[in-house]
Amino acid sequence: QKNSCVLPEDLKNFYLMTDGFEMTWSVKTDDTPMPLGSMVINSVSKLCRLGGSSMYTLPSAPTLADLEDDTDEEGNGDKPEKPHFDSRSLIFELDPCNGNGKVCLVYKHAEPVVSPETEIWFLDRALYWHFLTKTFTAYYRLLITHLGLPQWQYAFTSYGVSPQAKQWFNMYKPITINTTLLSEEADSFVNKLDPNKVFKSKNKTPVLKKKQPSQPPSSQKSHTSMTSAKTSSPAGNSSRK
């Protein structure tokens, strides 16, 4: 009511079930747990609007709307129109991203009446916008899929995640961080381990000597019968004499 806007249906159903969401997980290094993953959806009370008020109490203090650059090309090609910090858009913070940026719920058309259509955008630390999803449900799936790894939202920017964050991705989400490689080569992640090379023993395998072919038993019997016949013939001749 304060901002004259209505929550999208999927986000409204989410807040009817639970007032926000926060889940963290850790990894153990040298028997010491180290916080790593963080998944956060702000509660309704923390769903603060960005760019709506001055950063300071002075009347001439700068605001986020003063950073608006009208020279940016918007809506060209397949790129969606970027949000505005002034009165043309309504922006609410969904996730502070541990200081690495902000995930925002954006009403891009707020004049003259706030449009019910919303999108989820990521605002990096340099105050550049990056489109994430069209619906909160799709963003929630992305959040769970990426396990809340540090700086996972930067995977949807043109400059990508930092080298340190990429190491965590390679450990826990290797296919996600190598989507380009996966599309180019289908079996790039297939295990090509050759067990013959891994479990190859250092001892040399003994060389087996070839055995001479033995004569068949039938030929042996005929040979022995012939020798016996030859030996018996002289005895017969002598007896006759």
Side-chain angles (χ1 to χ4, degrees):
Q1 294 178 357
K2 179 180 178 181
N3 297 285
S4 302
C5 59
V6 180
L7 288 175
E9 195 66 24
D10 52 357
L11 183 57
K12 179 180 178 181
N13 294 333
F14 175 82
Y15 280 127
L16 288 175
M17 292 187 296
T18 175
D19 188 13
F21 170 74
E22 182 175 0
M23 178 179 175
T24 58
W25 57 278
S26 306
V27 294
K28 185 176 288 187
T29 57
D30 297 332
D31 295 331
T32 302
M34 182 186 72
L36 182 62
S38 176
M39 294 175 274
V40 176
I41 301 294
N42 282 339
S43 61
V44 176
S45 60
K46 294 182 180 180
L47 203 63
C48 303
R49 181 183 174 185
L50 299 183
S53 61
S54 174
M55 292 185 293
Y56 305 99
T57 55
L58 297 176
S60 59
T63 62
L64 289 175
D66 296 328
L67 301 175
E68 198 70 41
D69 189 3
D70 294 333
T71 60
D72 291 343
E73 296 181 359
E74 299 177 346
N76 292 339
D78 296 334
K79 295 181 180 180
E81 181 184 356
K82 296 180 181 179
H84 301 278
F85 290 115
D86 54 16
S87 58
R88 288 176 289 179
S89 301
L90 288 179
I91 306 168
F92 298 93
E93 179 184 321
L94 283 176
D95 183 1
C97 303
N98 291 327
N100 294 316
K102 295 180 184 296
V103 174
C104 300
L105 174 71
V106 178
Y107 296 81
K108 288 198 301 182
H109 305 288
E111 290 182 348
V113 182
V114 179
S115 172
E117 297 179 359
T118 58
E119 294 176 346
I120 308 297
W121 286 72
F122 174 61
L123 180 66
D124 64 16
R125 297 185 63 178
L127 300 180
Y128 286 103
W129 288 105
H130 308 276
F131 176 76
L132 291 180
T133 61
K134 282 187 169 294
T135 62
F136 170 77
T137 303
Y139 167 74
Y140 189 75
R141 291 173 179 170
L142 280 182
L143 177 65
I144 301 300
T145 302
H146 288 81
L147 305 176
L149 288 170
Q151 305 176 17
W152 70 265
Q153 295 90 353
Y154 283 89
F156 295 87
T157 64
S158 58
Y159 30 87
V161 300
S162 65
Q164 182 181 4
K166 189 175 291 185
Q167 292 180 1
W168 293 117
F169 269 87
N170 288 328
M171 184 176 296
Y172 294 101
K173 293 291 293 179
I175 298 181
T176 302
I177 201 63
N178 294 286
T179 51
T180 306
L181 180 63
L182 183 63
S183 60
E184 293 177 356
E185 186 178 354
D187 6 330
S188 57
F189 293 96
V190 176
N191 189 358
K192 299 180 180 180
L193 184 66
D194 188 358
N196 296 325
K197 294 182 179 180
V198 175
F199 300 104
K200 185 178 181 180
S201 60
K202 296 181 180 180
N203 299 330
K204 294 183 178 179
T205 55
V207 180
L208 298 177
K209 295 182 179 180
K210 294 183 178 180
K211 294 182 179 181
Q212 296 180 355
S214 58
Q215 295 181 355
S218 58
S219 61
Q220 291 181 358
K221 289 182 180 181
S222 60
H223 180 71
T224 53
S225 60
M226 290 176 63
T227 54
S228 59
K230 288 181 180 181
T231 53
S232 60
S233 60
N237 294 333
S238 61
S239 61
R240 285 179 184 180
K241 288 179 179 180

